[in-house]
Amino acid sequence: MSLWKRISSHADCEARMAAYYDEKGLFDLRLCLAAWIEDRIMSEQITPNSAEQLERVALKFNEDLQQKLLSTRTASDQALKYRVVELCTQIQRTSALELYTHLRGGLQKELQLATEKSVATPGPSMPLSPYNMNNPTAAMVAAGGGVGVGGGYMDSSELMSVQPALGGGLGVIHNAVGANGGGNVTPIGMATAKVELYEIEHQILQYFNDFSTCGNSLKMLVQNYSYMLNSTGSPNAEEAFKCLMTEKAAIVTTLCRSYLCYEPLQELIIGELNNWRRQQALAGNGAPFNESTLDQIQRCFELLESFIGHLLAAVKETLRVHIVNDEPELNNLLERVRSAQKNLVCAAFIVDKQPPQVMKTNTRFAASVRWLIGSQLGIHNNPPTIECIIMSENQANRFVTRGTQMDSTLAGQSSGEIQNCSSTMEYQQNNHIFSASFRNMQLKKIKRAEKKGTESVMDEKFALFFYATTTVNDYQIRVWTLSLPVVVIVHGNQEPQSWATITWDNAFADIVREPFMITDRVTWAQLSVALNTKFGSSTQRALTRDNLDFLYEKLQRDERSEYITWNQFCKEPLPDRPFTFWEWFFAIMKLTKDHLMGMWKASCIMGFINKVKAQDDLMRSATGIGTFLLRFSDSELGGVTIAYVNEYGSVTMLSPWTARDFQILNLADRIRDLNMLRWLHPSDTNAVPQERDRAFGEFYSPRTEPTPGYVRSTLHVQVRNTIGDNGSIIGTPQHPIPSPPQDSSMSMGNLQNSTIMHL
């Protein structure tokens, strides 16, 4: 049972916690996302032990919360949509740190209350220790998991011996439907696994237990049927026949009821797997991803396969008791059970390690697939070989939507040539993982479709198609799965636009779709989360609200709309610029990651702010002359510039520096050389200016003594002053060195307002 469900079952506890959450206006949020909040906060691997670490965790939580609310907003329930909009507005009024710490503190209080109630009231309690599901799985497999792999039935005592000691009823399974994938959860101060998946496992076991009670009845039915066939002349034959009909009808009822219990559980677990795959796609954009959740999902798949295998065997055995000629109900059940088992086995075949989504030809890469049935069906005893081809969007669409059958000619349908494209599956006994690794693949050639209109090769999506055929007893199993979309490039300059295609697809595509259908417009709220995730994961610091407002203005230009289109995102050039928004954003992201990471993480760079606002902020600064800030250039790709208050009280903007400049001298050392820079204007409105050397001191390069016998040469940055004396130099070091002849200098940027470096 979820933590909140435990709390709400006691009126006094619920009232206390409602009052607590209402202090910050978060009670409705706690109700709406109860399971998700517990899973997300309790799954933190490290307890924040510093203000800086807590701030980072809080910002990440706030980002994930907004993403969750946006995904909930797609629900068909209009009332829920409006409620989600209200919740989004509410959390924007609360700082990330305040929101996170209040919710975290609330969970601590709830855990304490739940513990007190479990002591005071005998009965089911919250699980307070990890539960190893290997035992129940192993027991079920040993008992004969799956049709044709041992047969037999597990009796009630055997099944109950492997059930987990979980309490609290089974209705909580409905909460799990809305959960965002699941995962190993480590609550504050204790170690425990995700409650929802445990509840699902427990419910599978309970329904299996209910079904297993018909095992002895079925054995008795078969014996009585055999006896009746051998004693047709008996005076009690008619009465025996009627008893046999009654016994069989009761068993058929039990089998139908068991299947009706099983079916929604299978749909639920496949839905959980799709949630996991959705998180995997978001991880391609840098979102956090708990891969270990897949182990818990596999345990559910194994339990379900054992359940459906035993159910199929029971239905077949019941059909052998041939009393009447026509049994449509039982025959229909047989087909439904067979179909369910097939769907389960096929859905369990997935790509667990995705290939690179921007794939360069003649470059080695790796991937792996996993079959979540583990040792079920005995396939691991004769493991199949997995083949891989690359499919274009059109090929994948035809295969998925038209149900193209796999055959021996499939390899000839590849849209390219891949080396090392086959691998035999391996079963790891210690963790039950059944997988195939492709460690050394290489795409040698690619066949492209004919382009239409403004399409480019960077817009064209492919996917790796993994498939296998194997035989279990008397029937054949064919499985296949597609990787996430990939874009194939042949040159590095194609990389930025390729990442636009992949970033958009990862952020906004449905996992279950026609390959590779994707919306061509999204709300700014959705896109802002994707941009923040991408930039934050690449540079290790999230964007601020002001940063995002600036990006919104840049995308919207002179318009104001809730939606951003694909063309605005990466096709249409920005006003008066030769590049698109995405090219500009990607270049800044790369520059920050490669050259400015430490200073960006330390909030030394304001970054996303327009020129007018930068001037206004500096002119209002209390520290006056010498106050400066760093902003990303609007006019040059991957450029950063310094704006500062000069000695005349006006604002000067230096020409942008790019990655090429920082390969010569890093940004911090350039700032150290410019003595007119005194106070760093804070990027946070609640902070105060910092003295320059205090802000950047840790990023300065150490000064080295010259080697004996040599004269030291150093690089220094100087700025030509165009406001004061003609051509005068300002910002020189305290102990300037003579300037060399003009041909030895290296001029960078516009000479009207340039930075000059002398050797």
Side-chain angles (χ1 to χ4, degrees), residues 179-192:
N180 209 12
N184 290 327
V185 179
T186 309
I188 308 141
M190 62 183 69
T192 178

Side-chain angles (χ1 to χ4, degrees), residues 361-418:
T361 53
N362 297 307
T363 302
R364 299 184 187 280
F365 65 92
S368 70
V369 295
R370 181 169 167 182
W371 210 343
L372 301 180
I373 58 173
S375 60
Q376 301 293 311
L377 300 178
I379 297 175
H380 68 295
N381 294 321
N382 186 23
T385 296
I386 310 300
E387 303 290 339
C388 176
I389 62 174
I390 187 167
M391 276 189 171
S392 68
E393 182 170 346
N394 287 336
Q395 287 175 316
N397 192 292
R398 286 196 301 269
F399 189 91
V400 172
T401 60
R402 300 179 187 177
T404 304
Q405 295 297 315
M406 289 192 301
D407 53 37
S408 58
T409 65
L410 190 57
Q413 299 178 26
S414 179
S415 285
E417 178 187 328
I418 301 180

Side-chain angles (χ1 to χ4, degrees), residues 52 541 596-605 680 683 690 695 698-699:
E52 182 181 353
R541 189 193 113 196
L596 313 176
M597 179 93 78
M599 286 170 278
W600 172 255
K601 288 171 61 179
S603 297
C604 295
I605 300 174
L680 176 65
S683 57
Q690 286 191 75
E698 63 178 300
F699 308 111

Side-chain angles (χ1 to χ4, degrees), residues 249-458:
I251 290 174
V252 171
T253 299
T254 300
L255 296 178
C256 290
R257 185 172 61 245
S258 295
Y259 178 73
L260 289 175
C261 292
Y262 169 89
E263 190 175 34
L265 289 171
Q266 176 170 314
E267 291 178 2
L268 180 61
I269 290 303
I270 291 177
E272 285 293 310
L273 179 59
N274 285 335
N275 284 339
W276 184 91
R277 293 169 62 208
R278 180 77 189 108
Q279 297 305 312
Q280 187 186 47
L282 293 174
N285 284 355
F289 180 42
N290 187 358
E291 296 182 63
S292 64
T293 309
L294 196 59
D295 295 334
Q296 292 178 287
I297 294 173
Q298 174 169 320
R299 288 195 288 271
C300 290
F301 266 92
E302 290 174 336
L303 294 173
L304 287 172
E305 170 52 40
S306 188
F307 190 165
I308 198 69
H310 282 78
L311 185 57
L312 180 60
V315 173
K316 288 180 176 180
E317 190 71 14
T318 306
L319 276 169
R320 293 191 187 100
V321 180
H322 194 68
I323 301 176
V324 295
N325 291 329
D326 190 17
E327 297 186 271
E329 183 180 18
L330 201 53
N331 282 305
N332 179 58
L333 179 61
L334 177 63
E335 292 306 312
R336 294 175 69 185
V337 170
R338 279 176 171 166
S339 178
Q341 186 185 49
K342 177 183 176 183
N343 291 339
L344 182 73
V345 170
C346 291
F349 189 67
I350 64 164
V351 180
D352 64 326
K353 304 292 183 185
Q354 293 287 341
Q357 289 188 265
V358 174
M359 187 178 295
K360 192 174 181 181
T361 53
N362 297 307
T363 302
R364 299 184 187 280
F365 65 92
S368 70
V369 295
R370 181 169 167 182
W371 210 343
L372 301 180
I373 58 173
S375 60
Q376 301 293 311
L377 300 178
I379 297 175
H380 68 295
N381 294 321
N382 186 23
T385 296
I386 310 300
E387 303 290 339
C388 176
I389 62 174
I390 187 167
M391 276 189 171
S392 68
E393 182 170 346
N394 287 336
Q395 287 175 316
N397 192 292
R398 286 196 301 269
F399 189 91
V400 172
T401 60
R402 300 179 187 177
T404 304
Q405 295 297 315
M406 289 192 301
D407 53 37
S408 58
T409 65
L410 190 57
Q413 299 178 26
S414 179
S415 285
E417 178 187 328
I418 301 180
Q419 289 185 344
N420 305 314
C421 59
S422 65
S423 176
T424 301
M425 297 199 74
E426 298 178 353
Y427 180 69
Q428 301 175 34
Q429 186 70 43
N430 61 326
N431 55 18
H432 306 284
I433 291 178
F434 190 33
S435 63
S437 297
F438 297 79
R439 299 184 179 89
N440 199 26
M441 287 200 286
Q442 189 172 138
L443 180 62
K444 301 298 292 183
K445 297 179 181 178
I446 191 67
K447 301 175 188 175
R448 298 193 183 275
E450 185 177 346
K451 301 297 174 290
K452 300 177 182 179
T454 59
E455 289 181 346
S456 71
V457 297
M458 291 85 80

Side-chain angles (χ1 to χ4, degrees), residues 124-257:
S125 60
M126 281 217 25
L128 300 180
S129 61
Y131 172 66
N132 185 350
M133 283 299 293
N134 289 336
N135 290 336
T137 300
M140 294 182 77
V141 172
V147 60
V149 191
Y153 298 91
M154 185 181 293
D155 63 32
S156 176
S157 61
E158 290 175 316
L159 189 64
M160 291 304 292
S161 69
V162 300
Q163 287 188 7
L166 287 177
L170 301 166
V172 130
I173 194 168
H174 300 295
N175 290 340
V177 176
N180 209 12
N184 290 327
V185 179
T186 309
I188 308 141
M190 62 183 69
T192 178
K194 186 187 177 206
V195 175
E196 287 79 5
L197 280 175
Y198 277 118
E199 296 284 356
I200 297 170
E201 293 172 19
H202 183 57
Q203 190 156 11
I204 295 170
L205 287 167
Q206 176 171 322
Y207 287 153
F208 199 152
N209 180 40
D210 294 341
F211 156 73
S212 68
T213 58
C214 81
N216 292 330
S217 300
L218 184 55
K219 291 177 184 178
M220 185 64 67
L221 176 68
V222 172
Q223 291 175 3
N224 292 340
Y225 178 63
S226 177
Y227 176 78
M228 187 190 74
L229 291 178
N230 295 326
S231 57
T232 53
S234 171
N236 298 324
E238 184 177 352
E239 184 178 346
F241 179 79
K242 290 180 180 179
C243 290
L244 204 62
M245 288 284 288
T246 303
E247 291 174 17
K248 183 172 181 179
I251 290 174
V252 171
T253 299
T254 300
L255 296 178
C256 290
R257 185 172 61 245

